[in-house]
Amino acid sequence: MAIDKDNLKATLATAVAYLLALAISIVFIKQFFTNHKRKKKSSCYLNTEVSKPQYAFKRILAENSYSQFKHLKLQTLEELSNLHPYKEEISKLLKNPNVGFLEFLDEYYNVKDGLEMGDSYVWIENEAQLRELVEVLSKESVFGVDTEQHSFRSFLGFTALIQISTLREDYLLDTINLHDMIGLLRPVFANPEICKVFHGADNDVLWLQRDFHIYVVNLFDTAKACDVLSKPQRSLAYLLETYCDVSTNKLLQKEDWRRRPLPAEMIQYARIDAHYLLYISRCLYLELKLQKNENSSPGDKFHFLLEASRRSNATCMQLFAKDLEASPGENAASSIISRCLNDQGNISPSLCDSKFQERVRRLCLWRDIMARLHDESLRFVLSENAIIALGTKVPTTEIDICSIISTADVDVESMTLVSHQSPSPVVSCHLEDLLCLFQDSITNRDHIFELFIQQHLGPAGTCPLSAYNYALLSKIKLRITNRPTSHRNGFRASKQSTKRASRESFVRKFSCKSPVYHNCKIYANDGRLLCYSDRRKLEWYLNRNLAKLVEEDPPSIMLLFEPKGRPEDEDNEFYIQSKKNICVGCGEGNHYLRYRVIPSCYRIHFPEHLKSHRSHDIVLLCVDCHEIAHAAAEKYKKQIAAEFGIPLFISNVVDFDMAHNKTTSSLPVSTSEEIGVSPLHLRTAAMALLRHGPQMPSQRREELMQVVMKYYGGREISDVDLERALLVGMSPHERKKFEKKRGYSFKHLPGCIDLNDENENNIGFKGETVDALSTIMSGTDEKLNYEDNLMVEDKEESTEPPCSNSGDDIAALNADDNDMSDTKIAPGISKELTVHAGDIQPNHDTKFSLLGHGPHGKQVVEYLLKEYGEDGVREFCQRWRQVLVEALHPRFLPAGWDVMHSGKRDFGEFSVYNPSKKASDVAAS
């Protein structure tokens, strides 16, 4: 007993000692983390660095959050804030350009001698001076404008200087000191009676909207005038040397325009950019008046002048929008991974495994968060070379991180003259973040986002709050408040939650997984911009030594041969405009899908030169806008079917061999209403018999057998015949998808069915019209499978030009034999449509389904070409563009997109679509 007491005392003593040690440990640990947090909180460089100029701005229109930019609303009752506030005024100028100012300039310079730029200029730095300038400009009929931007130490960038030149004076506006008051210039820039002369205004127009809600109305762009005149170059430096005998150092454009006071050479450069614009516009005006072409009438001396003015004012219609992504940093990560997989990332593609790709995505996510949080550019925070190196070598200590980044940045050619340390202050102050990214315990990137936002901006945050990053906190609140909540009507809440979840799943499945537009430039061998393109096309030219790399960010090439035609020669201004990865309808940037303006069932049958590699009629739409546009397109297809008398679907199918074997005289295959069976009914019957035949009531089984037997001409059928009935008109791609989706495997067919084999697919189709759509993939689905449509359509977009119309062929009919009873039939078009599968060209068999809208599309295009030639096809395309515009009223179409787009194109000697090249290839084979 005494021993037990002693043991108990010893145990208690040990327990007390353990608890005491634990308590002491907790105190020390708590103190450690408290000190660590304090240390981290004081470690952010923004707490000690001299405040950045933009932190003094009080009126910030574009902060760094993930929300859309809100445009100016002229009327408080307007519901939409993303409509162009001056659309009506600009539209009037597009129809009736105001070019009277150019005649005024011509008269002025005829009298005035000399173009020398004096030493005097006016530096505007306070509100009183700015108001005086507004009064001066309001009395002018024209003035020149240029801007200087700073983007290296800012996430979205900001305007650091505005240069304005009248015929009498040069003004330099300090937009850093006057940032909150520059809006006083808004009425002058929006006045349609005053022309603003820019050079290359595409970005300036957007920057003025972003920073000051200033919208340019009545613009003359000397770069657009160069395009119309087919100048060998369109740069301002070229125009200054050609017309003014003035040279300028364009490297100064990359200087730090935040500096105050500005050095004399930077002031000189800024003045030159605006001072000579008015004289240059006068010179271009004289040349435009002299231009003529085969379409110009003898008195139409202003044809080219008006065209230059229209192109300039079309630029004013652009609206600034943030580049938003489905997941922060996802676009940059996809671009880096693509480079590495294509052996362009200084590492072997074999190292680009799933773990490497996950690390790259985490690093890009962290970089995006930190750039927004600290209002720094992505390249200032962490270079792409550093991301690749970190993703490959996986550092384990803070010293390793610094060493890897410094080594990687040695090989990076600086794109700015601003000094930049490596690693950046952002990295140096937050090294523990990067170590956290490489931990395998973190499996969800959403958690990473919330972790860093809370850590750096939360109550005990390590970084200072600012007007630029405060809205980022709402991102976390949004995630919490968006969770489903119960309502009194529980069913309705559940239904809405299910609908929301379904939509989110749909977006993840079908939206583009990487940026569509890379905005890489392709220059002609004389330096003129030919088009914007993606990286793949650049690599194609470079790999064949047909071009040389001239710029790296973004990549740009110059062709080493003379291209056939120029965009301006073909009236295709669209192709020399940069494009944003956002929905053209509503501006949504978190997700988007490609959408074909002209449905594939028609476009696949166009002549090659009207469909090859043309991006004008492929736009980006979010899921909601895509659904609206798709519904409008399906409705318009029915109008086309009625107008031309060509049914949308083939509703009756018959096995020609069986029908003819039964009787050769009494069965008129293509005219008798009794011949054949609806493909929907055939599929339904065949599938039901294969799956549930033995268990069916005998009467129902006999009814379904009669349906299938009608297709085979009345003969007895086997399981092989039933499986063959499921494949009627189905392409191999559709068959594979059918097997996967419906879970049915073709057990009785001997091997793969050859669609070109007349013995297997001697199928006749009788054309009927439809009113409602149903899925041909399953007899149980009686509505259009919109997801199937999107999946195939998006698959097509991965390769251009498309050679499939299956995106439009996923649907068949829910037959309505009376829909076309009163329809007028276009001359030369038969209401009966008969197709023999053995006559289908082999190169269409693998992609071209016979059961969708394909036969309808083919007959429509053939009729247009026969009756109206290619002009008929172009007009047909214009009708479809109008359908999109009327359905969506898109507000974010790329500059240069036009309903009346011609689609005209010439092909160079290296193009696979060159008719002579195709003819020679055929002859060689």
Side-chain angles (χ1 to χ4, degrees), residues 88-104:
E88 183 177 347
E89 291 84 347
I90 298 172
S91 298
K92 290 179 181 178
L93 288 169
L94 290 172
K95 295 178 181 177
N96 300 296
N98 179 5
V99 294
F101 74 94
L102 291 169
E103 296 183 5
F104 167 74

Side-chain angles (χ1 to χ4, degrees), residues 535-578:
R535 293 177 184 268
R536 257 188 328 182
K537 182 172 285 189
L538 266 63
E539 292 164 7
W540 189 92
Y541 284 110
L542 292 171
N543 292 339
R544 289 161 178 78
N545 295 320
L546 297 175
K548 63 180 180 179
L549 189 67
V550 294
E551 297 176 12
E552 292 186 359
D553 186 20
S556 304
I557 61 171
M558 179 180 289
L559 301 181
L560 300 179
F561 60 91
E562 177 60 31
K564 181 71 173 178
R566 305 296 172 101
E568 59 270 22
D569 300 335
E570 301 171 8
D571 194 25
N572 288 330
E573 182 77 8
F574 170 83
Y575 299 103
I576 53 176
Q577 305 287 343
S578 61

Side-chain angles (χ1 to χ4, degrees), residues 886-903:
E886 292 177 358
L888 291 179
H889 301 288
R891 307 192 300 274
F892 298 93
L893 283 166
W897 195 94
D898 188 3
V899 169
M900 305 304 291
H901 179 73
S902 67

Side-chain angles (χ1 to χ4, degrees), residues 33 326 499 693 758:
F33 278 108
K499 185 177 180 181
E758 295 186 13

Side-chain angles (χ1 to χ4, degrees), residues 464-659:
L465 282 169
S466 71
Y468 290 95
N469 64 28
Y470 182 78
L472 288 172
L473 288 172
S474 65
K475 183 76 173 179
I476 298 177
K477 295 177 184 178
L478 187 64
R479 291 171 185 270
I480 297 173
T481 56
N482 274 352
R483 292 174 183 170
T485 56
S486 60
H487 299 278
R488 281 182 293 179
N489 186 341
F491 173 77
R492 182 178 179 184
S494 175
K495 188 175 181 181
Q496 290 176 344
S497 298
T498 302
K499 185 177 180 181
R500 187 186 303 115
S502 176
R503 183 183 182 277
E504 291 175 355
S505 174
F506 190 90
V507 169
R508 287 195 299 270
K509 185 175 181 181
F510 294 109
S511 61
C512 298
K513 302 302 186 293
S514 60
V516 174
Y517 301 124
H518 297 166
N519 289 321
C520 303
K521 298 177 183 178
I522 298 181
Y523 293 98
N525 53 0
D526 58 8
R528 292 164 64 189
L529 179 63
L530 286 178
C531 65
Y532 284 83
S533 182
D534 59 13
R535 293 177 184 268
R536 257 188 328 182
K537 182 172 285 189
L538 266 63
E539 292 164 7
W540 189 92
Y541 284 110
L542 292 171
N543 292 339
R544 289 161 178 78
N545 295 320
L546 297 175
K548 63 180 180 179
L549 189 67
V550 294
E551 297 176 12
E552 292 186 359
D553 186 20
S556 304
I557 61 171
M558 179 180 289
L559 301 181
L560 300 179
F561 60 91
E562 177 60 31
K564 181 71 173 178
R566 305 296 172 101
E568 59 270 22
D569 300 335
E570 301 171 8
D571 194 25
N572 288 330
E573 182 77 8
F574 170 83
Y575 299 103
I576 53 176
Q577 305 287 343
S578 61
K579 301 169 186 66
K580 291 184 176 294
N581 289 291
I582 60 174
C583 170
V584 302
C586 63
E588 170 66 59
N590 288 323
H591 76 273
Y592 40 81
L593 305 86
R594 296 179 181 87
Y595 177 78
R596 290 189 183 282
V597 179
I598 295 97
S600 298
C601 65
Y602 304 110
R603 188 177 180 275
I604 189 178
H605 303 296
F606 285 2
E608 293 288 358
H609 55 283
L610 292 182
K611 69 177 181 180
S612 58
H613 291 263
R614 306 307 272 169
S615 58
H616 182 276
D617 293 323
I618 300 174
V619 297
L620 300 183
L621 296 179
C622 67
V623 165
D624 300 320
C625 291
H626 195 290
E627 189 171 0
I628 295 170
H630 177 78
E634 291 301 314
K635 182 178 179 180
Y636 195 68
K637 281 182 187 177
K638 295 179 183 179
Q639 296 182 30
I640 295 293
E643 177 182 346
F644 289 94
I646 303 175
L648 276 176
F649 292 97
I650 294 170
S651 62
N652 280 9
V653 292
V654 62
D655 186 302
F656 270 154
D657 286 341
M658 296 302 108

Side-chain angles (χ1 to χ4, degrees), residues 1 174 209 218 278 426 584 594 689 704 728 757 795 855:
M1 197 69 176
D174 184 354
Q209 294 174 12
N218 192 0
L278 298 181
V426 180
V584 302
R594 296 179 181 87
L689 288 168
L704 296 178
V728 169
D757 187 346
K795 190 180 187 70

Side-chain angles (χ1 to χ4, degrees), residues 827-842:
I829 299 294
S830 171
K831 192 174 180 179
E832 306 292 348
L833 177 61
T834 303
V835 180
H836 191 289
D839 295 334
I840 302 298
Q841 296 181 8

Side-chain angles (χ1 to χ4, degrees), residues 692-904:
H692 311 292
Q695 293 83 29
M696 281 184 178
S698 58
Q699 182 179 354
R700 178 57 177 161
R701 187 175 188 278
E702 183 61 27
E703 289 175 0
L704 296 178
M705 290 290 288
Q706 289 298 322
V707 173
V708 182
M709 289 169 65
K710 190 175 181 181
Y711 166 70
Y712 285 111
R715 70 169 175 81
E716 293 297 322
I717 57 175
S718 64
D719 287 344
V720 173
D721 295 323
L722 290 176
E723 290 193 345
R724 186 177 288 114
L726 286 176
L727 293 176
V728 169
M730 193 189 296
S731 70
H733 169 74
E734 292 171 337
R735 173 184 166 176
K736 290 178 182 178
K737 196 169 75 168
F738 178 80
E739 292 182 27
K740 181 179 179 180
K741 185 169 185 177
R742 302 302 170 193
Y744 183 83
S745 177
F746 294 90
K747 305 173 184 177
H748 306 287
L749 288 178
C752 183
I753 296 298
D754 184 359
L755 291 180
N756 299 320
D757 187 346
E758 295 186 13
N759 295 325
E760 297 288 357
N761 290 277
N762 203 15
I763 304 164
F765 300 87
K766 179 163 178 276
E768 299 287 339
T769 189
V770 297
D771 183 53
L773 302 176
S774 61
T775 317
I776 65 176
M777 291 306 172
S778 169
T780 60
D781 294 337
E782 294 193 0
K783 65 180 180 178
L784 178 65
N785 191 328
Y786 185 55
E787 291 193 16
D788 282 350
N789 191 1
L790 280 180
M791 184 160 60
V792 178
E793 182 177 295
D794 195 49
K795 190 180 187 70
E796 288 174 2
E797 298 296 349
S798 62
T799 305
E800 293 187 20
C803 52
S804 167
N805 67 333
S806 52
D808 297 282
D809 296 340
I810 296 300
L813 80 157
N814 188 354
D816 182 353
D817 294 336
N818 299 320
D819 190 65
M820 288 285 290
S821 57
D822 299 323
T823 301
K824 294 181 180 180
I825 301 177
I829 299 294
S830 171
K831 192 174 180 179
E832 306 292 348
L833 177 61
T834 303
V835 180
H836 191 289
D839 295 334
I840 302 298
Q841 296 181 8
N843 62 340
H844 282 178
D845 287 337
T846 58
K847 296 269 184 99
F848 181 43
S849 168
L850 300 177
L851 283 179
H853 298 165
H856 159 81
K858 182 178 182 182
Q859 278 207 324
V860 169
V861 175
E862 286 178 347
Y863 173 72
L864 290 171
L865 290 171
K866 178 181 177 182
E867 296 295 323
Y868 308 107
E870 292 183 1
D871 288 339
V873 175
R874 291 190 180 97
E875 184 180 351
F876 185 69
C877 294
Q878 292 166 7
R879 293 169 61 179
W880 278 105
R881 296 182 194 119
Q882 191 64 36
V883 170
L884 176 75
V885 171
E886 292 177 358
L888 291 179
H889 301 288
R891 307 192 300 274
F892 298 93
L893 283 166
W897 195 94
D898 188 3
V899 169
M900 305 304 291
H901 179 73
S902 67
K904 180 176 63 176

